[in-house]
């Protein structure tokens, strides 16, 4: 090849690379806008419109009651904000679903509300205000659920976790529950590293392994981070906090822009099981921050710009006994569509 031809080729290469990079950059903006529009059309807003949107809000609020009911320091009369919203959401679902009484989410909420009432009635606490917010039909449904303390809460015993490393997968998976109260025993980085090692069996896109784990053991840092996170307020600071991030440097095209959350999510679930099998209790915690909280969090952790937050995992040893939310699940049938 002549010198002139070589120069021409290298110019063409440079030009096409720049064009492709520019195209990627424009597509990235375009696709983010389309993604935002789809999200905006479909998420569950303050005033839901569809059955699924009502159901999401009801599960969210019901879960807050489950959390309050499973709390070690039970606060009678808790949940003012929840009660200001949940009755109207139930009414909304009644309007949209003619068979609401048999709706899984509706019935789940009513049974958790029943447990709330039962726990208060034991000490004769006046629930007049709460009652006034529901329709008389709703209140009757709540009252008429048969008593069962397992509505809303389950009990976790440390002794039941002693053989975790030998459990077959179906028992490990069915016995794992998020706990939010831990024993005072310290957690070491070594204990966590063993579990991280096991979680490295997680598959990732083209084996590029974008997940990163930051282990926070400093109590002040954990407490500052969780105050900003605000999803586990009112619980003692856990002994360890894992920050799961994804390194964006692993991705090569604009359409991989969400891949870090997928790979990081798969890794996180595997890590939750690995920690459980090592006899450690966990609670995944949301890190979908507002821009302001993200900035403050990045500052505390010194997370580099190329890493995005996937989630936190609070980690600790199991206390002798603790309660946690029942967190009822949809059945496989409810969430599956078979395409033949
Ligand atoms: C991505 C993610 C974010 C979560 N964020 C919180 C949170 O901010 N606060 C909290 O108390 N629990 C949080 N959880 C825990 C869920 O409430 C819990 O996983 C769910 O109710 C199912 O219960 P289980 O983990 O016991 O099976 C989160 C879970 C996930 C997967």
């Amino acid at each position: 090849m002549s010198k002139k031809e070589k120069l021409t080729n290298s110019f063409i290469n440079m030009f096409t690379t720049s064009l492709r990079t520019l195209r990627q950059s424009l597509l990235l903006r375009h696709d983010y806008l389309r993604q935002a529009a789809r999200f905006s059309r479909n998420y569950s807003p303050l005033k839901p419109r569809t059955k699924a949107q009502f159901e999401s809000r009801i599960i969210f609020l019901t879960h807050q009651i489950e959390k309050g009911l499973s709390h070690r320091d039970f606060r009678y009369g808790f949940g003012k904000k929840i009660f200001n919203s949940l009755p109207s959401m139930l009414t909304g679902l009644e309007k949209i679903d003619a068979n609401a009484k048999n709706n899984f989410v509706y019935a789940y909420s009513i049974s958790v509300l029943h447990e709330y009432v039962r726990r208060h009635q034991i000490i004769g606490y006046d629930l007049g205000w709460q009652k006034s917010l529901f329709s008389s039909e709703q209140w009757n449904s709540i009252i008429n659920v048969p008593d069962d303390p397992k509505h809303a809460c389950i009990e976790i015993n440390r002794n039941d976790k002693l053989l975790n490393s030998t459990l077959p997968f179906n028992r490990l998976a069915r016995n794992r529950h998020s706990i939010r109260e831990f024993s005072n025993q310290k957690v070491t980085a070594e204990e966590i590293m063993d579990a991280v090692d096991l979680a490295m069996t997680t598959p990732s896109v083209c084996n590029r392994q974008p997940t990163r784990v930051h282990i926070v053991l400093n109590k002040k840092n954990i407490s500052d981070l969780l105050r900003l996170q605000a999803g586990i307020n009112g619980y003692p600071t856990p002994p360890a906090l894992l920050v799961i991030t994804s390194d964006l440097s692993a991705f090569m095209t604009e359409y991989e822009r969400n891949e870090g959350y997928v790979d990081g999510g798969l890794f996180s679930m595997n890590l939750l099981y690995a920690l459980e099998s090592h006899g450690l209790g966990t609670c995944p915690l949301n890190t979908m921050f507002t821009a302001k909280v993200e900035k403050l969090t990045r500052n505390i952790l010194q997370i580099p710009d190329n890493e995005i937050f996937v989630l936190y995992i609070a980690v600790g040893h199991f206390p002798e006994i603790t309660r946690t939310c029942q967190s009822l699940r949809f059945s496989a049938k409810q969430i599956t569509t078979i395409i033949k």
Side-chain angles (χ1 to χ4, degrees):
M1 195 187 294
S2 72
K3 207 172 168 188
K4 194 176 163 198
E5 280 171 333
K6 270 188 189 166
L7 258 173
T8 314
N9 269 354
S10 106
F11 176 76
I12 290 172
N13 271 344
M14 255 173 59
F15 183 70
T16 50
T17 303
S18 300
L19 260 188
R20 285 176 66 186
T21 308
L22 177 66
R23 189 168 171 270
Q24 286 283 328
S25 175
L26 292 173
L27 276 174
L28 182 63
R29 278 158 182 77
H30 173 258
D31 287 354
Y32 263 129
L33 285 177
R34 279 189 39 183
Q35 195 170 1
R38 184 187 300 278
F39 188 81
S40 191
R41 284 195 302 275
N42 292 293
Y43 82 105
S44 177
L46 278 172
K47 286 194 170 175
R49 298 175 304 275
T50 67
K51 181 166 164 264
Q53 290 171 352
F54 275 107
E55 289 174 344
S56 298
R57 293 235 158 218
I58 292 170
I59 294 187
F60 171 78
L61 294 163
T62 303
H63 185 59
Q64 305 306 313
I65 302 182
E66 286 184 324
K67 276 171 83 173
L69 289 171
S70 58
H71 215 289
R72 192 187 300 161
D73 299 321
F74 185 75
R75 230 174 8 92
Y76 285 95
F78 76 87
K80 293 268 169 347
K81 263 192 180 164
I82 305 166
F83 283 98
N84 274 323
S85 179
L86 184 52
S88 64
M89 291 297 143
L90 291 171
T91 306
L93 187 57
E94 284 164 13
K95 284 184 186 152
I96 227 165
D97 181 357
N99 200 14
K101 285 220 164 139
N102 293 319
N103 177 300
F104 171 84
V105 171
Y106 188 92
Y108 170 25
S109 186
I110 295 288
S111 74
V112 171
L113 284 163
H114 176 83
E115 180 57 14
Y116 181 94
V117 173
R118 188 188 75 82
R119 293 275 286 279
H120 285 80
Q121 278 178 341
I122 292 173
I123 62 144
Y125 189 97
D126 178 14
L127 289 177
W129 176 75
Q130 283 86 344
K131 184 179 171 184
S132 72
L133 302 167
F134 292 93
S135 69
S136 52
E137 220 186 346
Q138 286 168 346
W139 191 253
N140 282 340
S141 304
I142 294 168
I143 298 297
N144 289 330
V145 175
D147 281 356
D148 183 351
K150 283 200 200 100
H151 286 149
C153 300
I154 42 180
E155 218 171 68
I156 310 277
N157 291 286
R158 180 166 56 202
N159 285 345
D160 295 339
K161 301 290 180 181
L162 297 176
L163 297 178
N164 264 11
S165 64
T166 63
L167 291 185
F169 180 70
N170 67 344
R171 282 191 57 201
L172 187 81
R174 293 208 183 274
N175 290 342
R176 184 211 59 82
H177 300 282
S178 295
I179 61 165
R180 295 168 182 84
E181 291 159 352
F182 301 93
S183 90
N184 290 329
Q185 191 184 339
K186 281 202 166 153
V187 172
T188 64
E190 290 70 36
E191 286 174 291
I192 292 170
M193 289 300 282
D194 274 350
V196 173
D197 214 32
L198 184 53
M200 285 307 295
T201 54
T202 309
S204 65
V205 62
C206 308
N207 202 27
R208 279 178 260 160
Q209 305 168 61
T211 307
R212 302 290 175 263
V213 181
H214 303 259
I215 303 174
V216 190
L217 298 173
N218 177 294
K219 196 168 175 179
K220 162 114 183 30
N221 278 348
I222 297 174
S223 140
D224 289 349
L225 290 167
L226 292 185
R227 199 169 314 115
L228 283 171
Q229 191 266 353
I232 191 165
N233 289 341
Y235 291 91
T237 307
L241 187 71
L242 310 187
V243 187
I244 312 298
T245 64
S246 254
D247 184 348
L248 293 178
S249 330
F251 305 115
M252 292 153 54
T253 59
E254 62 84 23
Y255 51 78
E256 287 189 320
R257 66 192 175 281
N258 297 315
E259 191 64 50
Y261 299 112
V262 176
D263 286 13
L266 285 172
F267 182 92
S268 299
M269 188 66 242
N270 216 0
L271 182 55
L272 288 174
Y273 283 136
L275 290 160
E276 175 84 16
S277 117
H278 280 67
L280 288 162
T282 58
C283 184
L285 297 167
N286 152 47
T287 55
M288 298 296 112
F289 299 134
T290 60
K292 185 178 164 201
V293 172
E294 175 170 343
K295 194 172 169 200
L296 292 167
T297 303
R298 278 185 184 276
N299 249 339
I300 296 175
L301 289 164
Q302 294 296 301
I303 298 281
D305 184 58
N306 52 302
E307 290 181 35
I308 51 167
F309 290 101
V310 177
L311 49 74
Y312 286 146
I313 303 180
V315 185
H317 289 275
F318 287 97
E320 207 172 307
I321 193 161
T322 185
R323 280 177 161 194
T324 193
C325 309
Q326 193 190 20
S327 298
L328 272 191
R329 298 301 209 271
F330 296 131
S331 66
K333 215 170 150 192
Q334 279 171 289
I335 63 142
T336 308
T337 309
I338 300 172
I339 300 163
K340 285 188 180 158

